Amino acid sequence: MRRAIVLVISSVLSLAVATPAYAASTVDYVALGDSYSSGVGAPGQSGTCLRSNTSYAAQWAARNDPASFQFLACGGATTDDVRTSQVPAMRAGADLVSITIGGNDAGFAPTILTCLTSSDSACAAKVAEGRAYVANTLPAELDATYDAIRAKAPDARVVVLSYPLIFDTSSILCEMSVAKRRSLNEGARVLDEMIKQRAEAAGFVYSEVRDEFTGHGVCSSRPWLNGLTIIPPQNSYHPNGSGYTSGYLPAFSGAA
């Protein structure tokens, strides 16, 4: 029953994406953030920032024809990168800003690597290390980043998107054990909760993508995220084309 409800909601959201609720031709849109905003994992990545036209940001701009579109999101970006490189590059007068950020600060890549190559207990310990960072250090980093965005675009609607839970935990056969998958998903949930808390404290709009990705994690029958990928390696554990089109794009469109 839950799956049927999710499918119905997804269909409704798809229709909403296809028919914009407003004319965006006067909107100046800026896409900030990390690999989940630049489009890593999808076809057509290019440049040092690995930006793709299949990213939710580029798709939204193509469908809504804003007055201007600055695609500043960059694979591997941290909160510090957003503050020192991306925000200064923003043109004045942005009306709409989107961002995913915080995952690299919390150690996304080294945590995944540890869980791939080590024991269940080592994976859990590495996730716990990241959770401690999220609880103790990340809040101030997010606050400073959100303050910088607001200072540069004081009148913009800023949409902060979450990260999905990467793994399906119901399947037996997978590249990671169930214990590792649960540890990583719980780490992602804790990260998302902190991002939500700080985004709302900043007066920004928080958009949760976990509902859109329900049933589409790595090792599910219809994954919207890449599993371990050898060529190109950066695609590992990032959304695929379906993840950006059917997951992130509706989540952003509904909040923009």
Side-chain angles (χ1 to χ4, degrees), residues 29-33 37 56-57 96-100 157-159 161 252:
Y29 169 41
V30 181
L32 304 175
S37 287
Y56 73 85
L96 177 64
V97 177
S98 65
I99 185 170
T100 57
R157 182 175 181 83
V158 181
V159 180
L161 295 107
F252 176 55

Side-chain angles (χ1 to χ4, degrees), residues 100-160:
T100 57
I101 202 67
N104 292 316
D105 296 72
F108 172 75
T111 300
I112 288 287
L113 183 60
T114 296
C115 290
L116 276 170
T117 59
S118 302
S119 65
D120 289 355
S121 60
C123 174
K126 189 66 175 177
V127 171
E129 182 182 315
R131 290 177 61 175
Y133 180 92
V134 168
N136 299 316
T137 305
L138 186 61
E141 295 296 325
L142 290 174
D143 288 348
T145 302
Y146 297 156
D147 286 348
I149 294 170
R150 179 54 73 211
K152 190 63 180 278
D155 300 318
R157 182 175 181 83
V158 181
V159 180
V160 179

Side-chain angles (χ1 to χ4, degrees), residues 12-98:
V12 172
L13 286 172
S14 295
L15 288 174
V17 169
T19 308
Y22 62 92
S25 58
T26 60
V27 170
D28 294 305
Y29 169 41
V30 181
L32 304 175
D34 55 23
S35 54
Y36 275 66
S37 287
S38 71
V40 171
Q45 301 164 53
S46 64
T48 56
C49 284
L50 300 172
R51 296 182 183 122
S52 168
N53 286 334
T54 308
S55 69
Y56 73 85
Q59 288 194 66
W60 189 91
R63 295 183 185 209
N64 290 275
D65 191 27
S68 67
F69 172 45
Q70 273 191 289
F71 197 4
L72 301 177
C74 191
T78 63
T79 51
D80 185 63
D81 294 321
V82 172
R83 294 194 301 271
T84 61
S85 299
Q86 297 182 23
V87 170
M90 291 173 61
R91 291 190 291 268
D95 303 297
L96 177 64
V97 177
S98 65

Side-chain angles (χ1 to χ4, degrees), residues 222-241:
R222 291 190 300 143
W224 287 358
L225 296 113
N226 298 293
L228 179 63
T229 308
I230 305 302
I231 301 175
Q234 73 269 9
N235 282 6
S236 299
Y237 310 109
H238 284 81
N240 56 28

Side-chain angles (χ1 to χ4, degrees), residues 181-239:
R181 284 177 270 161
R182 286 175 176 164
S183 291
L184 287 163
N185 281 356
E186 179 60 15
R189 186 194 65 79
V190 169
L191 173 60
D192 283 343
E193 289 303 314
M194 183 57 72
I195 291 170
K196 177 182 180 181
Q197 180 188 118
R198 302 324 306 159
E200 292 180 344
F204 293 169
V205 178
Y206 174 80
S207 184
E208 179 61 72
V209 302
R210 284 178 289 178
D211 288 344
E212 281 82 1
F213 279 84
T214 297
H216 298 289
V218 174
C219 297
S220 67
S221 59
R222 291 190 300 143
W224 287 358
L225 296 113
N226 298 293
L228 179 63
T229 308
I230 305 302
I231 301 175
Q234 73 269 9
N235 282 6
S236 299
Y237 310 109
H238 284 81

